[in-house]
Amino acid sequence: MSNPSPAAEALVCSARGCRAAAVWALEWNNPRLHDADRRKTWLACAEHRGTLGDFLDARGFLRAITAVPGSPTLDT
C-alpha cells in the first residue's frame, strides 16, 4: 500500500468546515510577527474568497490573491 503524494491530493478551501476545491490562493502575513517578504497562504473556494479576503484585509494582512494553478479561475 502506498501513500499518495502531496501533489496528488486535492487542495481544499481553508474556510472552517468547507471541503470544496480551492481555486484561489490568498497570500498574507502579519507584519508584527513576520518578515516583510514572508508569505503564508490560505486557500479559498469561489464561495469563500470574499469572506476570507475581507477578514485578512480588515487586519492589514492580505498581500495578494492569485488563482490556484490548474483552476478554472484563471480567466475571471
Side-chain angles (χ1 to χ4, degrees), residues 13-24:
C13 181
S14 298
R16 183 179 299 186
C18 184
R19 302 306 303 159
V23 293
W24 297 103

Side-chain angles (χ1 to χ4, degrees), residues 1-5:
M1 187 184 269
S2 65
N3 292 330
S5 68

Side-chain angles (χ1 to χ4, degrees), residues 40-65:
K40 299 187 81 161
T41 302
W42 281 357
L43 299 173
C45 65
E47 180 181 349
H48 292 112
R49 176 188 174 192
T51 54
L52 291 173
D54 290 347
F55 177 88
L56 293 169
D57 195 39
R59 289 154 180 78
F61 296 171
L62 187 61
R63 301 297 176 243
I65 298 176

